[in-house]
């Protein structure tokens, strides 16, 4: 690849990613802050802007970036990028949703086992000097029905792992063709209600949109089996958090584990301190492996855009 591609990396883009972009794509410049003015000052002659969940890539930035061809987001969410403004100018927006599928799936499984075996509660007691052996009896995943809501990249990886535990997997996703379920020996639920009434463990892997917002409403949560477990590593907005607080306090659900919240960071300490709730601070995709995958996927996608034949300066 020629050295003509100039890449502006937002503050916080990891040094390893900067190094790979420098090796494989072009010249790398790094911002010192998320300030719009600093971005505007530096973006004029750059063809690529790399951002994480910050800063906001506003229409004003796009208007001041005459050479810009690509906004690259290593990771999933592109909500911080004004995609309409990019589209108007024919600027490509690329991301790497596939990079963290195993990381999120593995956290989902880890949270489920921690819930079923009360790992956090017994650990907290032991750290206070209390030996609670005999007081906490857990459950196995084996022999249970695990309901996967959203059968995309992460949902499918979860299903694959769960089958190794000798559990039955049932999945609900109206947008995925039948063969994706049959190939993986996963039972398809035609209605969300069917999955909720049959599953002992439910995990959520949907995108957040108008249709999935509050997908697990109070009605849906109370439709779940009494004593079932719920895990959400997708987006906080897909569960009615207030209703979840109620079903957990009332004991309708045995437990829940959340990595994501309606508002982040979550402020309701009463909710967070429920004994049958495990909460992590949106760490699903935060592994060294996911970052490394994101880097390689980004490099591959940028190479495909700025192919080897592209030796002339771009964007002038
Ligand atoms: P994906 O796009 O591959 O899969 C999402 C699936 O949801 C799709 O198959 C889609 O058909 C399905 N879906 C859409 N509307 C639905 C509905 N109404 N009912 C049922 N299914 C529906 O996405 P993915 O990469 O598997 O990511 C899944 C979720 O995990 C996303 O919300 C993503 O933002 C989140 N995520 C979280 C973390 C984290 O750090 N916790 C990291 C990465 C991704």
């Amino acid at each position: 690849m020629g050295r003509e591609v100039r890449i502006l990396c937002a503050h916080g883009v990891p040094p390893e990613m900067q190094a790979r972009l420098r090796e494989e794509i072009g010249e790398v410049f790094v911002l010192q802050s998320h300030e719009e003015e600093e971005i505007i000052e530096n973006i004029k002659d750059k063809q690529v802007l790399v951002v994480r969940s910050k800063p906001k890539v506003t229409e004003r930035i796009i208007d001041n970036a005459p050479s810009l061809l690509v906004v690259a987001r290593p990771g999933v969410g592109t909500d911080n990028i004004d995609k309409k403004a990019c589209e108007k100018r024919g600027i490509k927006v690329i991301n790497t949703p596939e990079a963290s599928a195993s990381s999120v799936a593995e956290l989902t499984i880890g949270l489920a086992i921690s819930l079923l075996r009360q790992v956090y509660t017994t650990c907290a007691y032991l750290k206070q000097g209390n030996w609670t052996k005999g007081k906490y009896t857990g459950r196995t995943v084996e022999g249970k029905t695990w309901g996967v809501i959203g059968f995309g990249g992460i949902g499918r990886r979860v299903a694959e792992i769960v089958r190794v535990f000798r559990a039955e997997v049932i999945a609900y996703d109206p947008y995925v063709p039948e063969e994706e379920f049959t190939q993986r020996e996963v039972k398809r639920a035609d209605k969300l209600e069917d999955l909720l009434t049959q599953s002992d463990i439910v995990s959520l892997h949907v995108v957040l949109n108008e249709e999935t917002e509050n997908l697990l409403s109070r009605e849906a949560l109370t439709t779940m089996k009494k004593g079932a477990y719920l895990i959400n590593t997708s987006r906080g907005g897909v569960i009615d958090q207030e209703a979840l607080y109620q079903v957990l306090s009332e004991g309708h659900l045995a437990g829940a584990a959340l990595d994501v919240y309606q508002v982040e960071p979550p402020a309701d300490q009463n909710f967070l301190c429920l004994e049958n709730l495990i909460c992590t601070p949106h760490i699903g995709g935060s592994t060294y492996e996911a970052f490394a995958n994101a880097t390689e996927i980004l490099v591959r996608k940028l190479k495909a855009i700025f192919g080897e034949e592209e030796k002339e300066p771009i964007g002038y």
Side-chain angles (χ1 to χ4, degrees), residues 76-77 97-98 100-101 104 107 149-156 172-176 192 204-209 211-212 215 232-235 238 259-260 282-286:
V76 184
E98 58 277 54
S100 60
V104 183
L107 180 71
I149 303 179
F151 205 48
I154 298 172
R156 288 174 211 190
Y172 171 73
D173 191 326
Y175 303 106
V176 166
L192 178 61
L204 280 153
H205 311 287
V206 289
V207 285
L208 177 63
N209 56 30
E211 195 189 310
T212 59
L215 188 68
N232 186 16
T233 54
S234 63
R235 285 291 178 263
V238 304
D259 185 46
V260 287
H282 203 146
I283 56 168
S286 304

